[in-house]
Amino acid sequence: MRSRGVLVALFLLPLAWGLVSLASGRAVSVVPECPGLQLDDVGEEHPGRMRPGFTCAVGYDNATGRSTGTRTYDQQKFAQETERDGRYLRGAGYLAYSAVGLTVLAVSGPLRLLGRPRRRREAAGRPTSGSTDTTGA
């Protein structure tokens, strides 16, 4: 019975992680947000919301002062959509795995009880308390 509890716990962990993954997918913004240095169409640093025509310096090299990777508004929007979809997909996968595992555990318990009943061992030569002696002795 102890191993059954361990199995339930091992299926509840992915269930919790799936819920966290779904919540983190929900937290990814729909509006493109630049994780690095944001430049407007003139090349000046621009704080605030990313707008069409802006460029996002995703990677920045402090030694040279140059950006190592940039994304346009549409590329950043696509990257965030891909990240959000990936989190939703991983969360759904963890939830499905947990649901199948917990269902198998729930179904296997009653089926084991429906199988061959276990017989109690009788002591050698002594009847059990529920048996009747018809010999009259």
Side-chain angles (χ1 to χ4, degrees):
M1 193 59 141
R2 181 178 175 169
S3 64
R4 189 171 184 81
V6 170
L7 286 174
V8 168
L10 287 176
F11 284 118
L12 287 177
L13 287 174
L15 177 74
W17 190 253
L19 292 173
V20 167
S21 295
L22 286 175
S24 69
R26 180 83 173 131
V28 174
S29 178
V30 178
V31 178
E33 293 179 1
C34 180
L37 183 65
Q38 183 175 201
L39 305 172
D40 60 9
D41 44 4
V42 180
E44 296 291 323
E45 184 178 348
H46 189 278
R49 244 179 64 190
M50 192 170 185
R51 297 187 181 119
F54 285 12
T55 304
C56 179
V58 182
Y60 191 77
D61 186 11
N62 289 329
T64 61
R66 295 181 179 262
S67 60
T68 57
T70 60
R71 290 184 186 154
T72 63
Y73 176 85
D74 292 329
Q75 290 171 334
Q76 181 64 25
K77 186 175 182 178
F78 178 74
Q80 284 181 211
E81 288 172 356
T82 304
E83 181 182 358
R84 183 174 43 253
D85 292 345
R87 289 182 183 188
Y88 283 148
L89 187 60
R90 280 190 302 276
Y94 285 126
L95 288 178
Y97 171 79
S98 296
V100 168
L102 290 172
T103 302
V104 166
L105 284 177
V107 169
S108 69
L111 288 181
R112 192 176 327 151
L113 295 176
L114 293 176
R116 180 187 295 178
R118 293 184 182 177
R119 295 183 182 192
R120 290 186 356 186
R121 287 186 165 175
E122 295 182 11
R126 291 189 308 200
T128 60
S129 62
S131 65
T132 57
D133 187 12
T134 58
T135 59

